[in-house]
Amino acid sequence: MSFHPGGPKSEYGAGRPALAGDVKAITYSRTGDSSVLQLTDRDIAEPGAGEVRVRVALSGVNPTDWKRRSGATSGHQLEFPELVPNQDGAGVVDAIGPDVAGLAVGDRVWVFMAQHQRPGGTAQEYVVLPTTNVVPLPDRAGFEVGASLGVPAMTAHRALTVAEDWPARLAPGSLDGATVLIAGGAGAVGHAAIQLARWAGAKVITTVSSPEKAALATAAGAHHVVNYKTEHAATAIRDIAHGGVDIIVEVAPAQNAELDAAVANNRASIAIYANNGGDSFTLDIRPNMMVNARYQFLILYTVGDEALRHAAEDITAAAADGALGVGEDAGLPLHFFDLENTAAAHDAVEAGVTGKVLIRVGE
């Protein structure tokens, strides 16, 4: 399945000065399917204290974006009369407000949770954000990498740092000796988890559903790939990790609860970040009790400022090391859309396209 792929642009021109009423943005004023998204002109906003304005080059689309737009996660209530979608993106700082330190006009940056408790996401030419949501982008990382971080990489970071016997921060060597199992290694979070775990020194096992996805997970850096459609997953994983796995990054607990219990090492952590395949599941008490298993649910919006800050710092370090590549060769195909086609970009993510959907916003 392919959705209007185009040649990636590694940098974007400075563009023309933004004039009042001359800023393009995608907005919606009611929940619903992607048809509620409209291309509009808006006045450019000025940054306040502790804020910067970012000229957006690329906007990243995640499942959370279409779910919020549809009303599935908001009870069909809008927090603001008009919203701009999309949490993630990358671009260049073009204005700074008072009391800003550590960022300057012209800095290349990646941004995260742009729409959280704010009306303006990254599907617009300029976005004003607190400095806490704006992170310098390392020189060796293109805007494609920057716009692909945010929700997927920060979710993966959290999943990899909640285990009882392993560090709460990621760095080279921090997971030396750990065996990590990542469910759905061809997804955006799975892809980031593979790369971060490998960067931190873990042995990485992932499960996939097809040879094509196996190739992507291998390209991302997984040491072992198990096709649960053609193999007995628990046996295959136990053959690789004789003592069991230490950290499980779980996307589908309703489907995988039995598998996770069967392959968990003593004091293993099962970090659950999604409900793919069902909204509820049951656990067999005895197998989990005998290995002192820890189940950790996670969502970025309530994880806390310190966890977000640590994730941003560690992810930036990994990007500076070149550990977070994107594109087909790095295991995450890119699908590009123009700003006016944001509705189609949301539809692609909702349809389950394999890879990362990015919206070209800057010139």
Side-chain angles (χ1 to χ4, degrees):
M1 184 180 293
S2 178
F3 294 89
H4 307 284
K9 300 177 182 179
S10 59
E11 299 295 343
Y12 289 75
R16 50 180 167 70
L19 305 175
D22 195 33
V23 176
K24 300 296 183 186
I26 298 295
T27 63
Y28 62 100
S29 55
R30 60 185 175 87
T31 59
D33 64 24
S34 63
S35 66
V36 303
L37 299 173
Q38 302 295 321
L39 180 66
T40 60
D41 289 335
R42 309 178 93 206
D43 291 342
I44 193 166
E46 296 299 329
E51 295 180 332
V52 300
R53 188 172 66 212
V54 176
R55 176 171 52 83
V56 180
L58 289 172
S59 175
V61 186
N62 299 292
T64 189
D65 298 316
W66 72 257
K67 290 176 182 178
R68 183 175 187 183
R69 181 219 71 225
S70 73
T73 57
S74 63
H76 298 280
Q77 298 297 315
L78 294 184
E79 302 167 80
F80 303 93
E82 185 177 73
L83 294 170
V84 175
N86 299 358
Q87 300 285 4
D88 299 340
V92 176
V93 174
D94 96 305
I96 60 173
D99 305 321
V100 169
L103 290 168
V105 171
D107 284 352
R108 300 166 67 254
V109 294
W110 63 279
V111 306
F112 64 92
M113 290 173 61
Q115 201 192 8
H116 180 53
Q117 298 180 337
R118 301 176 65 84
T122 59
Q124 57 183 326
E125 291 179 312
Y126 293 84
V127 62
V128 172
L129 293 170
T131 56
T132 51
N133 296 69
V134 182
V135 189
L137 185 63
D139 290 341
R140 71 186 297 175
F143 288 137
E144 296 91 346
V145 170
S148 301
L149 299 176
V151 169
M154 299 182 87
T155 298
H157 181 278
R158 178 65 174 173
L160 293 168
T161 55
V162 294
E164 185 174 7
D165 297 324
W166 300 95
R169 298 293 298 269
L170 295 181
S174 63
L175 293 180
D176 280 356
T179 300
V180 174
L181 171 64
I182 298 164
V189 175
H191 173 265
I194 290 170
Q195 292 184 325
L196 286 170
R198 175 102 187 216
W199 176 67
K203 177 196 288 187
V204 181
I205 306 169
T206 188
T207 55
V208 297
S209 60
S210 70
E212 293 77 17
K213 290 182 177 181
L216 293 175
T218 299
H223 295 98
H224 305 277
V225 180
V226 174
N227 185 336
Y228 63 84
K229 295 283 191 179
T230 60
E231 303 176 71
H232 187 273
T235 299
I237 292 166
R238 279 287 183 178
D239 285 345
I240 297 164
H242 301 296
V245 298
D246 303 297
I247 299 170
I248 299 173
V249 180
E250 185 55 77
V251 66
Q255 296 173 326
N256 294 335
E258 184 177 350
L259 169 65
D260 293 341
V263 301
N265 196 358
N266 191 42
R267 298 163 67 90
S269 172
I270 299 95
I272 298 170
Y273 69 89
N275 59 343
N276 291 10
D279 291 331
S280 63
F281 67 101
T282 59
L283 292 175
D284 290 330
I285 295 172
R286 192 75 178 170
N288 286 283
M289 182 184 294
M290 294 306 294
V291 296
N292 285 270
R294 168 185 288 194
Y295 284 80
Q296 172 74 56
F297 291 85
L298 66 99
I299 191 167
L300 294 182
Y301 306 119
T302 54
V303 75
D305 293 340
E306 182 178 69
L308 293 174
R309 184 176 68 255
H310 289 170
E313 291 170 357
D314 296 351
I315 289 163
T316 299
D321 283 348
L324 298 177
V326 297
E328 186 101 24
D329 291 345
L332 190 72
L334 299 178
H335 306 276
F336 290 88
F337 295 77
D338 293 329
L339 183 63
E340 57 266 30
N341 293 324
T342 295
H346 273 222
D347 289 342
V349 176
E350 185 172 0
V353 63
T354 298
K356 184 67 183 179
V357 170
L358 299 174
I359 296 171
R360 291 192 178 104
V361 181
E363 295 182 357

